[in-house]
Amino acid sequence: FLNDMATASYNSQSLVFIIHSGGSSYGMTTPDNSISLNNWQHIAATYDGNGDVHVYINGIDQVLTGPPPPGNIDDNSTEDLLIGESAGLNRAFDGDIDEVRYWKLVLDSTTIRENMCRELSGSDTGLVSYWQFNEISGSTAYDLSGSNNGTLYNISDGSRMVSTTPL
């Protein structure tokens, strides 16, 4: 989630990346002011299952504070994947999200930088789900890589846009 004010736990204008492992939650945060409010930014996060976590903002690897998880991510296959909201439904993202890609492999920084402003085909090796959010109406976010269509909440048809602006 995006944190826009400093707290005892998180930096101001930072991105908080939380992984659930071994029944515990591990929150890592990017540095103060690493997120520029009211501007489009590319965010990528990777985790290799062995404690190596990276968060990239506009292709730049961030220095994270907070403990990394010690092992594999908990199996949440029976739970919904929430984008722009927390599991407690109490931290809704106040902004726009355009294009979400979910991979089953760890991308390196070069691959992230090379592809962050490129539209994918949907059949890229290792790509599990690819939501462009280009739907101009309805409540379904279509997965261009497979069958993981999602449901859109709290969005009106009049507020939608198809993004063509690269970073």
Side-chain angles (χ1 to χ4, degrees):
F1 64 90
L2 174 65
N3 185 55
D4 64 358
M5 56 189 225
T7 67
S9 302
Y10 305 119
N11 296 325
S12 178
Q13 289 184 226
S14 63
L15 183 71
V16 180
F17 185 64
I18 298 175
I19 294 176
H20 300 283
S21 176
S24 296
S25 297
Y26 298 87
M28 292 137 291
T29 184
T30 60
D32 275 334
N33 303 308
S34 55
I35 295 293
S36 175
L37 300 180
N38 303 312
N39 291 300
W40 282 107
Q41 290 152 101
H42 180 271
I43 307 294
T46 65
Y47 178 59
D48 69 354
N50 294 312
D52 193 21
V53 179
H54 293 272
V55 173
Y56 302 88
I57 300 175
N58 296 331
I60 300 170
D61 197 1
Q62 302 294 303
V63 175
L64 301 176
T65 49
N72 291 328
I73 296 173
D74 290 345
D75 179 2
N76 292 316
S77 59
T78 61
E79 302 293 327
D80 291 333
L81 172 64
L82 302 172
I83 300 168
E85 181 57 275
S86 70
L89 303 178
N90 60 355
R91 291 186 180 162
F93 178 72
D94 183 13
D96 297 321
I97 298 173
D98 184 38
E99 244 185 60
V100 173
R101 305 165 182 188
Y102 184 79
W103 300 83
K104 66 178 177 183
L105 47 90
V106 177
L107 302 179
D108 61 38
S109 60
T110 300
T111 303
I112 289 170
R113 281 192 302 277
E114 288 174 353
N115 292 301
M116 66 184 205
C117 295
R118 183 176 76 83
E119 189 172 299
L120 302 179
S121 69
S123 61
D124 304 75
T125 301
L127 185 63
V128 174
S129 293
Y130 180 35
W131 302 279
Q132 288 184 321
F133 301 123
N134 285 345
E135 298 79 16
I136 58 172
S137 65
S139 61
T140 300
Y142 293 99
D143 176 10
L144 298 181
S145 71
S147 60
N148 294 313
N149 294 338
T151 303
L152 300 169
Y153 295 96
N154 299 321
I155 187 168
S156 65
D157 289 347
S159 68
R160 298 176 192 225
M161 66 181 129
V162 175
S163 174
T164 57
T165 306
L167 289 173

